[in-house]
Amino acid sequence: MRTKMVAGNWKMNKNLQEGIALAKELVEALKNQEPKCAVVIGTPFIHLASVSEVIKGSVIKLAAENCADKEKGAYTGEVSAEMVRSTGAEYCILGHSERRAYYHEDCDILREKVLLALKNDLKPIFCIGEVKEERESGKQNEVVKAQLEGSVFNLSAEDFGKITLAYEPVWAIGTGLTATPEQAQDMHAFIRSLIAEKYGKQVADDTTILYGGSCNAKNAAELFANPDVDGGLIGGASLKAPDFCAIIAAR
Ligand code: PGA
């Protein structure tokens, strides 16, 4: 059985003190909740080492929101996969549409990042998804297929098995527009069929595919009820402990 998961993506929110406070609040709240799914929080780089200490012994696992596409050396301002791993983080969000759009991360760069994450024992949470115009012209399947082929279908089956996918339609991120449960299920089933074609049914059945894009405490249960939607990657609603915990309870 594949892992069910709810993962938070704090993006560029919360200073260090606020981030530590939120992590402490989550640890306390989840102590009583006993989640039925894996719980991950993705924080800015500067929070990782401190939050890693806060969540020790709890159910919460830690993710970075990015890592460098180079191993080490003269790359001022970059943070390598090895550095991320040394904080205690176990996951790394890669390929988020904001990284693709604002920081020009293309399939080739992302392929390097995925390889470096895996090499350093970090599990990628790899994001894919179409923009509004692509959805409106019916191109969403071909876009998502190209994103997978460009950055993760080069992996061995063993390495691909370490990846969590997150389908995030760009038109739904931070917009309050959520994909309908049918749209999410259709795309997740399509993604699983592509994995089955490439790696076989067992690998496809074992791959965790999250939905992301304006997922919140109100709509989570309906989205998670779909057979191919294994959980969520949560932006805005992961910044308040009660909201995030309600989404975890819905999984
Ligand atoms: P959102 O963001 O939940 O705020 O729409 C999701 C994401 O970008 O991962």
Side-chain angles (χ1 to χ4, degrees):
M1 258 315 269
R2 56 184 172 260
T3 306
K4 309 288 182 191
M5 182 190 288
V6 172
N9 175 11
W10 291 3
K11 308 193 179 183
M12 197 172 74
N13 293 295
K14 306 276 178 200
N15 66 28
L16 180 58
Q17 290 71 30
E18 291 165 347
I20 290 171
L22 175 55
K24 284 185 178 161
E25 213 183 327
L26 288 170
V27 168
E28 272 314 303
L30 293 176
K31 221 186 263 173
N32 310 320
Q33 193 170 320
E34 294 179 9
K36 290 192 228 34
C37 63
V39 177
V40 178
I41 51 177
T43 81
F45 290 132
I46 65 130
H47 296 61
L48 292 173
S50 308
V51 168
S52 176
E53 290 300 317
V54 172
I55 62 176
K56 247 183 207 149
S58 80
V59 295
I60 305 172
K61 308 280 189 212
L62 188 59
E65 300 172 13
N66 183 24
C67 73
D69 62 339
K70 302 287 192 297
E71 195 141 16
K72 63 160 69 173
Y75 301 100
T76 303
E78 286 295 289
V79 176
S80 71
E82 186 189 359
M83 293 172 187
V84 168
R85 186 68 186 104
S86 72
T87 66
E90 293 176 47
Y91 292 85
C92 188
I93 299 170
L94 291 172
H96 193 280
S97 64
E98 288 149 18
R99 300 295 317 172
R100 293 178 193 262
Y102 306 146
Y103 302 97
H104 316 295
E105 295 190 6
D106 60 18
C107 282
D108 297 337
I109 291 174
L110 292 171
R111 191 168 58 242
E112 290 306 312
K113 292 191 176 198
V114 168
L115 290 172
L116 285 168
L118 289 169
K119 186 174 173 191
N120 287 285
D121 195 26
L122 279 173
K123 290 174 267 197
I125 298 175
F126 189 74
C127 307
I128 49 184
E130 80 286 355
V131 300
K132 187 159 165 268
E133 297 71 38
E134 291 162 343
R135 165 71 57 172
E136 283 170 357
S137 54
K139 293 206 174 91
Q140 64 273 16
N141 286 12
E142 97 189 47
V143 168
V144 162
K145 184 171 188 233
Q147 290 171 334
L148 289 169
E149 288 175 345
S151 303
V152 291
F153 275 4
N154 54 302
L155 298 172
S156 66
E158 191 192 341
D159 276 345
F160 186 83
K162 297 170 189 158
I163 294 211
T164 298
L165 293 176
Y167 169 58
E168 300 205 305
V170 181
W171 46 270
I173 296 177
T175 57
L177 280 177
T178 316
T180 64
E182 294 72 29
Q183 284 172 326
Q185 170 55 28
D186 284 355
M187 179 56 88
H188 285 226
F190 173 67
I191 292 167
R192 211 177 294 286
S193 75
L194 294 175
I195 302 167
E197 256 171 54
K198 173 77 192 165
Y199 293 106
K201 186 169 183 311
Q202 189 61 53
V203 174
D205 283 346
D206 290 347
T207 303
T208 299
I209 309 177
L210 309 178
Y211 168 81
S214 300
C215 182
N216 57 41
K218 287 206 179 82
N219 60 28
E222 206 184 8
L223 285 158
F224 298 166
N226 292 287
D228 286 295
V229 178
D230 304 313
L233 180 56
I234 317 298
S238 73
L239 296 171
K240 292 204 179 105
D243 291 2
F244 191 55
C245 290
I247 296 171
I248 293 165
R251 172 63 278 181

